[in-house]
Amino acid sequence: MSRERLQAVRDELARQGVQAFLVPRGDEYQNEYVPAADERLAWLTGFTGSAGMAVVGAEHAALFVDGRYTLQAQQQLGDQPIDQENLDNSVIADWLCAQLKDGQSLGYDPRLHTEPGLALLKKRLGERDIALRPLEQNPIDAVWSDRPATPCGPARPHPHTFTGEHSKDKRERIAALLADKRADALWLPNPEVCAWLFNIRGSDVPHLPVALASALLYRDGSATLYLAEEAVSEALIEHLNSDVDIVSDKDALFTAAKRHHVSKVWVDPRITNCWTLQQLRALDIELLQEPDPITAAKACKNAVELAGSRAAHERDGAALCEFLAELPDAVAAGAPDNSFGELEAVQLLRAKREQREGFADDSFDSISGYGPNGAIVHYRVNRESSLPLQPEGIYLIDSGAQYPDGTTDVTRTVALGDFPAHARDHFTRVLKGHIGIATLRFPKGTCGEQIDAFARKSLWDAGLDYAHGTGHGVGSFLSVHEGPQRIGKVSSGVALQPGMILSNEPGFYLTGQYGIRIENLIFVKESEPHHGFLEFEELTLAPIERKLIDADLLTEQEKDWLNNYHQRVRETLMPLVNEKTQAWLQEATQPIG
């Protein structure tokens, strides 16, 4: 099927007069998770990861993925005539320069790319007299005969009891920044910033509770909001009031800009697609190209949002513990006929979460990896790949949920029975790194890249490492991967601030044997003992696998942290779980001496 699709795209490229075409993972809003209608990369290559880029040339094609997806891409590409390369703009440029000749053209869909994202390609290809050419019609859309319709579900008001701040107050707060910048309007390029500013949620994107939207916010706090006509209800109109004009045609946003006499727009080029910038420039509107202020504002949760996240994590922790308590019996019962596998484990965990108040959706597709599949960092189980779980070896489950009061993301590594002796050393080194972040106290102004090494030191001491970041930001009933904050080797330049929620997830992966990851969500708060310093507080509540710990590798301080954490998990969750789980929880949280 992929060969036929590749040929159909190549025929369309020839019709449009370009010799190659870029196929990104994102949609026009630069979403990480995209509706089925925008799964162009998966349609073309079969690769279903959340990050990647393909290039289709007249004779050759390539898929570019990062270290998280190396093994997954190999499996999903199979024997297709598609090269696999590292996801890096310089690598993509090298590949294109080797495939294209001087004077030829690389086509791209301007709705799916940002100008900064294309800058290096434009420079490198320009040196070879290879043109970057925006196409009016996406070649894949032209040949994708059964492409799903773009979703347009209802946009719902998100109550003040969860947001802690009314939309009008948010709009006035952000609009005040426009005056300081002498800008007439702020461009809101994606559903997440719209969801936060207008206190609305939806269900247009898998695992991301948003309605597809974009908007303009004006200096007086009023706004023009694009939503599909089917998304708008009387309740929504009443919620937004007359200060927000809702339009159902994206072109109406640009018409509104002229009607409001907008001459200067604040726009973040990193998250705004090329097509939008072209439309604004065509209206002779000056562009103030600076980081979007809403992204930074929504990263710092207020007291109501943090309280909601604590409550959501208590319910989610109870669901996860009931799953973990039942897992050994489910594995034992299914072992004789291989009837309980990675996929059934995901279904069991989902069923436990569905019993909890407010559960809306998984926050991402669960990573359920047994044995060698656990070593695939972002493995996504399906019926064909699902391995049967046996009462031996190591199982990794990375999952999360969306609740109206909070978003969760937690990873636990479980010993199902006997396991390789060296796994205990690997697990304990990952745990030491996890504790290193959890217990860290750091001065204000510190960025995530400055603390990343605390998570890796014990692994580095043994000549080991992991090929992913240590922590990502998390939204409040929004994206489980939220910027701008992060913890990782790559520089972000973003200082950690009170109210930011991040993951803490060091890991280790032994190809062909097992994967290990320990992930909790934490939030940044003021350090009471030391003025001018910050520290973290745990949100996630779930036991850490004691069977995999080599206590001799832990310091007394690390043991104290683990025992105190387990005591809090036990005391908080014991009233929320069933009798079977209470007994399991009592055992799973026993102190380590």
Side-chain angles (χ1 to χ4, degrees):
M1 178 64 74
S2 181
R3 294 174 188 269
E4 296 173 2
R5 291 175 178 178
L6 275 172
Q7 189 56 52
V9 172
R10 284 172 173 145
D11 292 344
E12 180 62 22
L13 296 183
R15 190 189 70 79
Q16 296 197 35
V18 294
Q19 287 70 48
F21 181 68
L22 292 173
V23 186
R25 171 60 172 73
D27 61 4
E28 65 179 289
Y29 301 103
Q30 310 303 308
N31 285 324
E32 176 183 4
Y33 300 106
V34 301
D38 293 295
E39 290 279 11
R40 298 176 181 89
L41 187 63
W43 178 87
L44 180 68
T45 68
F47 172 68
T48 58
S50 63
M53 175 84 75
V55 180
V56 181
E59 297 181 358
H60 299 280
L63 172 66
F64 301 83
V65 298
D66 62 33
R68 297 171 297 169
Y69 293 114
T70 301
L71 295 178
Q72 178 180 334
Q74 289 173 358
Q75 292 178 355
Q76 293 182 324
L77 283 179
D79 61 354
Q80 298 179 74
I82 301 175
D83 300 334
Q84 182 175 329
E85 303 285 351
N86 183 47
L87 182 60
D88 180 275
N89 279 341
S90 61
V91 175
I92 297 173
D94 289 341
W95 191 91
L96 283 164
C97 286
Q99 300 298 326
L100 297 176
K101 299 176 182 178
D102 294 0
Q104 291 188 326
S105 297
L106 170 66
Y108 71 98
D109 185 338
R111 295 176 184 267
L112 305 182
H113 297 269
T114 66
E115 290 185 351
L118 292 176
L120 178 62
L121 279 180
K122 185 176 182 180
K123 178 180 182 296
R124 289 281 305 279
L125 296 179
E127 294 169 353
R128 286 278 313 279
D129 192 29
I130 298 170
L132 259 178
R133 188 174 133 198
L135 303 180
E136 292 187 11
Q137 183 180 28
N138 188 301
I140 289 181
D141 297 353
V143 300
W144 188 354
S145 58
D146 57 348
R147 184 183 173 212
T150 299
C152 51
R156 306 181 302 272
H158 194 46
H160 180 257
T161 51
F162 296 133
T163 67
E165 186 178 11
H166 292 291
S167 173
K168 182 177 177 61
D169 294 332
K170 288 181 178 180
R171 285 186 274 115
E172 290 178 349
R173 175 156 66 97
I174 299 300
L177 302 176
L178 289 170
D180 295 339
K181 298 287 186 178
R182 297 183 179 179
D184 303 306
L186 171 69
W187 177 260
L188 280 67
N190 63 52
E192 287 184 62
V193 293
C194 291
W196 181 87
L197 186 68
F198 298 108
N199 287 345
I200 58 176
R201 298 295 190 271
S203 55
D204 287 347
V205 180
H207 311 313
L208 182 61
V210 298
L212 295 179
S214 48
L216 276 169
L217 172 69
Y218 307 110
R219 196 187 287 194
D220 63 359
S222 65
T224 303
L225 169 64
Y226 160 76
L227 285 168
E229 186 175 353
E230 297 89 337
V232 182
S233 64
E234 290 298 324
L236 183 71
I237 294 172
E238 182 179 352
H239 165 72
L240 293 174
N241 68 48
S242 59
D243 291 337
V244 179
D245 181 29
I246 304 175
V247 297
S248 58
D249 181 350
K250 290 177 185 175
D251 289 337
L253 286 172
F254 306 108
T255 304
K258 297 302 289 184
R259 188 172 66 250
H260 283 79
H261 306 292
V262 170
S263 61
K264 185 177 183 180
V265 171
W266 183 347
V267 60
D268 188 338
R270 300 169 305 170
I271 57 175
T272 303
N273 65 49
C274 299
W275 180 84
T276 296
L277 299 184
Q278 292 169 8
Q279 305 310 304
L280 293 171
R281 288 177 179 132
L283 297 173
D284 292 326
I285 291 175
E286 180 183 354
L287 303 182
L288 172 66
Q289 300 191 48
E290 293 191 4
D292 166 59
I294 296 178
T295 299
K298 70 181 174 64
C300 298
K301 279 61 180 176
N302 58 38
V304 170
E305 291 171 318
L306 289 175
S309 188
R310 288 191 186 96
H313 276 85
E314 289 180 7
R315 301 196 304 278
D316 196 66
L320 178 59
C321 285
E322 290 191 352
F323 162 78
L324 292 172
E326 291 186 20
L327 185 63
D329 289 345
V331 171
D337 60 358
N338 294 331
S339 61
F340 187 85
E342 296 167 341
L343 190 59
E344 287 74 23
V346 169
Q347 294 166 346
L348 175 60
L349 178 52
R350 166 93 182 201
K352 293 298 182 183
R353 284 190 165 118
E354 287 175 342
Q355 297 171 11
R356 296 293 160 172
E357 179 185 357
F359 175 80
D361 190 9
D362 297 322
S363 56
F364 57 97
D365 289 322
S366 296
I367 299 169
S368 175
Y370 176 55
N373 282 346
I376 304 172
V377 178
H378 274 209
Y379 168 69
R380 182 182 295 182
V381 63
N382 56 48
R383 180 57 63 188
E384 290 70 34
S385 70
S386 180
L387 292 177
L389 270 59
Q390 300 292 325
E392 62 181 4
I394 292 175
Y395 170 63
L396 184 151
I397 178 69
D398 183 350
S399 67
Q402 295 284 8
Y403 302 93
D405 46 353
T407 299
T408 71
D409 182 2
V410 51
T411 307
R412 287 297 180 264
T413 305
V414 182
L416 296 179
D418 292 339
F419 52 84
H422 50 69
R424 184 173 278 114
D425 178 85
H426 294 155
F427 184 90
T428 308
R429 291 182 184 279
V430 171
L431 175 59
K432 288 172 72 70
H434 181 94
I435 297 173
I437 294 294
T439 58
L440 193 63
R441 183 174 290 127
F442 50 94
K444 290 182 178 180
T446 299
C447 300
E449 60 269 24
Q450 294 173 280
I451 67 173
D452 179 70
F454 288 90
R456 301 179 191 265
K457 181 184 183 304
S458 185
L459 286 166
W460 285 352
D461 287 343
L464 307 173
D465 202 1
Y466 51 94
H468 59 75
T470 298
H472 55 80
V474 178
S476 179
F477 194 39
L478 278 172
S479 178
V480 74
H481 295 145
E482 177 181 270
Q485 72 273 27
R486 67 187 305 274
I487 303 172
K489 295 179 181 179
V490 178
S491 176
S492 67
V494 175
L496 301 180
Q497 299 179 46
M500 285 182 169
I501 297 177
L502 299 107
S503 66
N504 173 14
E505 50 179 312
F508 176 73
Y509 310 90
L510 194 58
T511 301
Q513 294 194 38
Y514 53 75
I516 293 168
R517 188 159 62 250
I518 304 171
E519 177 186 17
N520 281 0
L521 296 193
I522 53 180
F523 72 89
V524 184
K525 66 177 186 179
E526 301 275 353
S527 178
E528 294 182 4
H530 299 281
H531 177 71
F533 276 68
L534 302 172
E535 59 190 26
F536 296 116
E537 181 175 317
E538 305 290 322
L539 286 168
T540 301
L541 297 168
I544 293 169
E545 180 63 273
R546 293 166 65 252
K547 298 173 188 173
L548 285 167
I549 297 174
D550 182 350
D552 291 339
L553 284 178
L554 296 180
T555 66
E556 290 304 313
Q557 291 81 5
E558 289 167 340
K559 292 177 185 177
D560 287 344
W561 179 91
L562 182 64
N563 291 336
N564 290 335
Y565 175 70
H566 275 163
Q567 179 180 351
R568 180 183 164 208
V569 169
R570 181 174 61 251
E571 292 176 351
T572 304
L573 299 186
M574 195 68 80
L576 305 179
V577 297
N578 58 35
E579 187 174 347
K580 176 183 177 65
T581 306
Q582 288 178 344
W584 174 87
L585 190 59
Q586 185 69 37
E587 174 61 27
T589 58
Q590 286 298 303
I592 285 183

